[in-house]
Amino acid sequence: MKKNIFYAQSGGVTAVINASACGVIETARKHRNKLGKVYAGRNGILGALTEDMIDTTAESAKTIAALRHTPGGAFGSARYKLKGLEQNRAEYERLIEVFKAHDIGYFFYNGGGDSMDTAYKVSQLGQELGYPVVCIGVPKTVDNDLPVTDTCPGFGSVAKYVAVSTREAALDVASMARTSTRVFILEVMGRHAGWIAAAAGLAGETPGDAPHVILFPEIPFDETTFLARVKDAVTRYEYCVVVVSEGAKYADGRFLAEAGTTDAFGHAQLGGVAATVAQLVKSKLGFKYHYAIADYLQRAARHIASKVDVEQAYAMGKAAVLLALAGENAVMPTIVRKSGAPYRWTVGKVALSRVANKEKMMPRSFITKDGFGITAGCRSYLAPLIQGEDYPPYKNGLPSYVSLKNQRVARRLSTNFVLK
Amino acid sequence: MKKNIFYAQSGGVTAVINASACGVIETARKHRNKLGKVYAGRNGILGALTEDMIDTTAESAKTIAALRHTPGGAFGSARYKLKGLEQNRAEYERLIEVFKAHDIGYFFYNGGGDSMDTAYKVSQLGQELGYPVVCIGVPKTVDNDLPVTDTCPGFGSVAKYVAVSTREAALDVASMARTSTRVFILEVMGRHAGWIAAAAGLAGETPGDAPHVILFPEIPFDETTFLARVKDAVTRYEYCVVVVSEGAKYADGRFLAEAGTTDAFGHAQLGGVAATVAQLVKSKLGFKYHYAIADYLQRAARHIASKVDVEQAYAMGKAAVLLALAGENAVMPTIVRKSGAPYRWTVGKVALSRVANKEKMMPRSFITKDGFGITAGCRSYLAPLIQGEDYPPYKNGLPSYVSLKNQRVARRLSTNFVLK
């Protein structure tokens, strides 16, 4: 009997996570002889826990194809981390119960390190409970912090957005500097690793080009050195562009912008580091500033997505299905770099146990000695990831993004599950 | 004898002000039999006052053509308003002195209402001093607040950026709302008029679509009504997108941005109006929020410029030269709407005296009765202005923007002018 597939989106969404969904669904539809229906979790894993699943067979081929150019999470995502098996075994048992009730034999989990851990545990528990489920991770995170894979779908597009925006804003402030704004600050995402901030470095190609200062989470913030650097840039070029990671920290580990609140995972909610840096520049150097906070705009900016990123996101979804068909289990497809220039890549795989809950930090060798820029090695790594444009179709001057019906799969269980 | 042209960029730059420069220079080059060289002011009008002018004849046709797709102000702009003739006649006299020394017979000033006033005064004083200068304004302002003309070059591209970004971020927050962010706030420009905030309204096409709340400078901010509206949107749609103009005010005229609020630690709240609105939502409704501040990114975003806007910007530069050749003086070319759907426009003209120092406010009839959205009339006005994409060329994944030589015109005066 053909088993159904359960696909869920997890964590912060990206400009291309739906391209992975598109890859999963289109590939599954091509193998109808071996695979059942693709169900998607409404709001990610919650859709399985609460038996609120979406029947993707209700969507036309045209609609599914349009997912490739639609940002956000088309089925809803969730910031919901399953606890350890010992702490909340009930959640895992519930997943298996729902999977069993709906003849689900495959679980494709589209997320980052936390989600790979969940998928791994589900694969273990399914075995133990006598209902084996093929669990395949589909990599996704703008943070680029999954190990083994060359990059993570979602990152290339944020990188491109940040590099393009930095280059454009730099032209603006350079025009204004003589009589107005001297320092422009762009705040970008990246809580632990400076990958996104590093991407801004691609905007500059010759000495003197913006950004003049990048503040990485990896480098403890030193006020004196920073201010000296800003002053130097203004003296040399009349203006200074600073790109600051939301995760920039003091030497003692405090974030420059600590909002005092925490999210579902217990991580501090950040935001507003740009304002902190701007105030510092104004009060200590007296320069007029402007600052921008890209926030969700950066990870939703499908209009300027990287073509390489879109292709990789699709390829990861497709590969997940092919791996399952090939009899693999508890693995995640990866992007393997065959060469840098020209960029050639292929699809590989890694055991979920090797990527679960692991973070890939940016190598220190990617940051210049002074801590404020990127090295040639970093540039060589990043440059291929932003190659190519993959414009969405437009209607009335706006991108034509698709909305799904998101039709519910009829419930088969009488039990409710209360989320903790 | 052929007279030279002096062209200057003024005030905040835009994604398309260089397209106007391109229109001026290319058109002047086509009329070499009647026109001399085009000199550009380094940093706008300061370039004339300090006799620091750029010889655009040093730039190739290819470079000048590339200005059409390059954002920012290629020659430098200035926030420098000349005072009244009575208060600082010396500045005007200096301009005439420099123009005379360099055989400049034409002054094309690319800016907003202030700049139109300056151009008008120069035309008057030139007459009076016996050195008549043909003064033509070239409209430019993202604020869309120049009267008479249907729109101002620069606005259509900001409008498109804001509408696209709102639509994209809305898809993101909608995906996250079940377990994380409920309210997303986007801060946009527009200190006096809500044109840019209104453009965000184009992102929504059917009831329930984002943005759910727009905060205009024209509508006094009422905390109770606002919070009720946010709560209602979250109840109905699970999430709420708020677009707030930097110029949003309380009934007593105070800007929300200078609300003087404090954070959880009692520190003065830093940042713009988005942070103020976000704190309010969090403290009064308890919703998790995210906010973005587009700042310079919105007006520099040439990568997503409106095709209509680019064409109009170029047309205004071209028309300025043609008006001068036709013997006009003290006028500004305008965009005249012939029909809305399909959008058809032509080039008109208006006396500088009629646009100098005047602001076109948004009609109250463009804002819904409840004060939080745009009307069908507003939509009909705005929709044509964001039509079409005009992508810049890309190289290595980044827009290929041009840098000019900006070669200095040899000085002919021995006098220096000290800016006040």
Side-chain angles (χ1 to χ4, degrees):
Chain A
M1 204 195 78
K2 292 188 295 181
K3 291 281 187 185
N4 297 316
I5 292 169
F6 177 72
Y7 165 81
Q9 303 182 321
S10 178
V13 293
T14 78
V16 302
I17 186 172
N18 288 333
S20 291
C22 178
V24 166
I25 298 168
E26 288 189 344
T27 310
R29 286 184 178 189
K30 279 186 190 147
H31 295 89
R32 277 183 236 258
N33 57 327
K34 291 178 187 161
L35 299 168
K37 295 178 171 183
V38 178
Y39 295 152
R42 194 187 308 277
N43 301 308
I45 200 72
L46 301 196
L49 293 170
T50 62
E51 206 193 351
D52 185 0
M53 296 186 295
I54 291 161
D55 187 353
T56 68
T57 64
E59 313 290 349
S60 70
K62 200 180 149 194
T63 298
I64 296 301
L67 284 177
R68 190 178 166 118
H69 66 248
T70 298
F75 310 105
S77 187
R79 286 206 182 278
Y80 188 87
K81 183 169 159 60
L82 274 70
K83 295 196 181 64
L85 273 170
E86 299 71 29
Q87 297 146 272
N88 199 347
R89 191 178 170 94
E91 282 184 335
Y92 294 89
E93 288 173 348
R94 170 66 175 184
L95 283 181
I96 300 295
E97 183 190 15
V98 171
F99 288 175
K100 205 168 171 180
H102 291 274
D103 298 318
I104 289 165
Y106 307 91
F107 173 32
F108 296 150
Y109 207 18
N110 203 170
D114 285 351
S115 308
M116 297 307 125
D117 179 57
T118 301
Y120 178 58
K121 285 182 178 137
V122 171
S123 74
Q124 290 181 299
L125 197 76
Q127 288 286 359
E128 198 185 313
L129 296 178
Y131 187 80
V133 178
V134 173
C135 297
I136 314 277
V138 185
K140 175 254 28 165
T141 163
V142 295
D143 293 328
N144 202 38
D145 60 0
L146 275 168
V148 187
T149 186
D150 184 51
T151 183
C152 297
F155 172 67
S157 294
V158 174
K160 188 178 184 95
Y161 173 93
V162 165
V164 170
S165 298
T166 300
R167 176 170 288 187
E168 290 181 333
L171 289 171
D172 190 310
V173 62
S175 321
M176 304 307 298
R178 179 65 181 76
T179 55
S180 181
T181 306
R182 294 283 190 170
V183 180
F184 175 75
I185 299 148
L186 173 61
E187 174 178 329
V188 301
M189 288 181 162
R191 198 174 294 261
H192 302 298
W195 292 108
I196 297 175
L202 293 173
E205 284 171 351
T206 49
D209 282 358
H212 307 100
V213 181
I214 301 177
L215 299 175
F216 298 97
E218 288 85 352
I219 306 292
F221 179 75
D222 181 77
E223 189 179 306
T224 313
T225 331
F226 166 70
L227 290 171
R229 184 64 179 248
V230 171
K231 201 175 169 184
D232 179 65
V234 172
T235 307
R236 284 172 195 260
Y237 316 117
E238 283 208 323
Y239 73 106
C240 179
V241 171
V242 178
V243 174
V244 57
S245 169
E246 62 176 345
K249 296 182 200 68
Y250 294 102
D252 63 7
R254 274 179 310 129
F255 287 112
L256 264 67
E258 187 85 57
T261 49
T262 54
D263 69 11
F265 297 130
H267 303 143
Q269 182 171 344
L270 305 176
V273 62
T276 307
V277 172
Q279 280 294 345
L280 189 63
V281 164
K282 178 73 184 168
S283 65
K284 297 293 168 71
L285 300 176
F287 295 134
K288 188 178 169 195
Y289 64 79
H290 259 254
Y291 64 85
I293 302 180
D295 196 65
Y296 281 176
L297 305 192
Q298 69 200 288
R299 70 181 203 195
R302 183 61 183 80
H303 75 272
I304 190 63
S306 151
K307 190 161 194 275
V308 162
D309 191 35
V310 174
E311 284 167 359
Q312 292 180 337
Y314 185 90
M316 292 297 99
K318 179 181 172 182
V321 177
L322 298 180
L323 284 168
L325 285 170
E328 296 279 351
N329 193 0
V331 294
M332 177 188 95
T334 59
I335 295 152
V336 180
R337 185 178 295 222
K338 307 292 276 185
S339 91
Y343 186 51
R344 288 188 300 110
W345 58 276
T346 186
V347 177
K349 65 176 180 185
V350 60
L352 286 178
S353 57
R354 283 191 55 208
V355 288
N357 282 328
K358 298 229 168 56
E359 263 182 343
K360 175 175 73 180
M361 301 309 287
M362 200 160 65
R364 181 60 182 86
S365 64
F366 275 18
I367 303 174
T368 50
K369 216 165 176 184
D370 65 10
F372 294 125
I374 62 170
T375 59
C378 183
R379 189 175 291 273
S380 302
Y381 166 72
L382 291 173
L385 309 181
I386 67 164
Q387 296 304 308
E389 294 68 56
D390 188 75
Y391 299 121
Y394 277 70
K395 200 183 151 191
N396 299 326
L398 286 165
S400 201
Y401 296 138
V402 77
S403 273
L404 306 188
K405 293 191 199 110
N406 281 349
Q407 193 175 295
R408 189 170 178 160
V409 177
R411 296 190 63 173
R412 293 184 176 177
L413 296 171
S414 53
T415 47
N416 282 317
F417 187 82
V418 181
L419 299 169
K420 296 199 179 177
Chain B
M1 203 195 80
K2 293 188 294 180
K3 291 280 188 188
N4 296 318
I5 292 170
F6 177 71
Y7 165 82
Q9 304 182 319
S10 178
V13 293
T14 79
V16 302
I17 187 171
N18 289 333
S20 290
C22 178
V24 166
I25 298 167
E26 289 190 342
T27 310
R29 286 185 178 190
K30 279 186 189 146
H31 295 88
R32 276 182 236 259
N33 55 328
K34 291 177 186 162
L35 300 168
K37 295 179 171 185
V38 178
Y39 295 151
R42 193 187 308 275
N43 301 308
I45 199 72
L46 301 196
L49 293 170
T50 61
E51 207 194 350
D52 185 0
M53 295 188 295
I54 291 159
D55 187 353
T56 69
T57 64
E59 313 290 347
S60 71
K62 198 178 152 197
T63 297
I64 296 301
L67 283 177
R68 190 179 165 117
H69 66 248
T70 298
F75 310 106
S77 187
R79 286 207 182 278
Y80 188 85
K81 183 171 160 57
L82 273 71
K83 295 197 181 61
L85 272 171
E86 298 72 29
Q87 297 147 271
N88 199 347
R89 190 179 171 93
E91 282 184 335
Y92 295 89
E93 287 173 348
R94 171 66 176 184
L95 283 181
I96 300 295
E97 182 189 16
V98 172
F99 288 175
K100 207 169 170 179
H102 290 274
D103 299 318
I104 289 166
Y106 307 92
F107 173 33
F108 296 151
Y109 206 19
N110 203 170
D114 285 352
S115 308
M116 296 308 124
D117 180 57
T118 301
Y120 178 56
K121 284 183 179 136
V122 170
S123 74
Q124 290 180 299
L125 197 76
Q127 286 288 357
E128 200 185 312
L129 295 180
Y131 187 82
V133 178
V134 172
C135 296
I136 314 277
V138 184
K140 175 257 25 170
T141 162
V142 295
D143 293 329
N144 201 38
D145 60 358
L146 274 168
V148 188
T149 185
D150 185 51
T151 184
C152 296
F155 172 68
S157 294
V158 175
K160 190 179 183 96
Y161 172 93
V162 166
V164 170
S165 298
T166 300
R167 176 170 287 186
E168 290 181 333
L171 289 172
D172 190 308
V173 63
S175 322
M176 304 306 297
R178 180 66 182 76
T179 55
S180 180
T181 306
R182 293 284 189 169
V183 180
F184 175 74
I185 298 148
L186 173 62
E187 175 178 329
V188 301
M189 288 181 162
R191 196 165 289 271
H192 302 298
W195 292 109
I196 297 175
L202 294 173
E205 284 170 350
T206 51
D209 282 358
H212 307 99
V213 182
I214 302 176
L215 298 175
F216 298 97
E218 287 86 352
I219 307 292
F221 180 75
D222 180 77
E223 187 179 308
T224 313
T225 331
F226 166 71
L227 290 171
R229 184 65 180 248
V230 171
K231 200 175 169 183
D232 179 66
V234 172
T235 308
R236 284 172 197 259
Y237 317 117
E238 284 208 320
Y239 74 106
C240 178
V241 171
V242 177
V243 174
V244 58
S245 170
E246 62 178 343
K249 294 181 200 69
Y250 293 102
D252 64 8
R254 272 179 311 132
F255 286 114
L256 266 68
E258 19 173 72
T261 50
T262 54
D263 66 14
F265 311 104
H267 301 141
Q269 177 73 52
L270 307 174
V273 60
T276 306
V277 172
Q279 279 295 119
L280 189 62
V281 164
K282 179 73 184 170
S283 64
K284 296 294 168 72
L285 300 174
F287 295 135
K288 189 180 169 194
Y289 63 79
H290 259 252
Y291 64 85
I293 301 180
D295 197 63
Y296 281 175
L297 305 192
Q298 70 200 288
R299 70 181 201 195
R302 183 62 184 81
H303 74 272
I304 189 65
S306 151
K307 190 162 195 274
V308 163
D309 192 35
V310 175
E311 284 166 359
Q312 292 180 338
Y314 185 90
M316 292 297 98
K318 179 181 172 182
V321 177
L322 297 180
L323 284 168
L325 285 171
E328 296 279 352
N329 192 359
V331 295
M332 176 187 95
T334 59
I335 295 152
V336 180
R337 185 178 296 221
K338 306 294 277 185
S339 91
Y343 185 51
R344 287 187 299 111
W345 58 277
T346 185
V347 177
K349 64 174 180 187
V350 61
L352 287 178
S353 57
R354 284 191 55 208
V355 288
N357 281 328
K358 298 228 169 52
E359 261 183 346
K360 175 174 75 180
M361 301 308 287
M362 199 161 67
R364 180 62 182 84
S365 66
F366 275 17
I367 303 175
T368 50
K369 216 166 175 182
D370 66 9
F372 294 126
I374 61 169
T375 60
C378 183
R379 190 176 289 275
S380 301
Y381 166 71
L382 291 173
L385 309 181
I386 67 164
Q387 297 303 308
E389 295 68 55
D390 188 74
Y391 300 120
Y394 277 70
K395 200 182 150 192
N396 299 328
L398 286 165
S400 200
Y401 296 139
V402 77
S403 273
L404 306 188
K405 293 191 200 111
N406 282 350
Q407 192 175 295
R408 189 170 179 162
V409 177
R411 295 189 65 174
R412 292 185 178 176
L413 296 172
S414 52
T415 48
N416 282 318
F417 187 83
V418 180
L419 299 169
K420 294 195 181 179

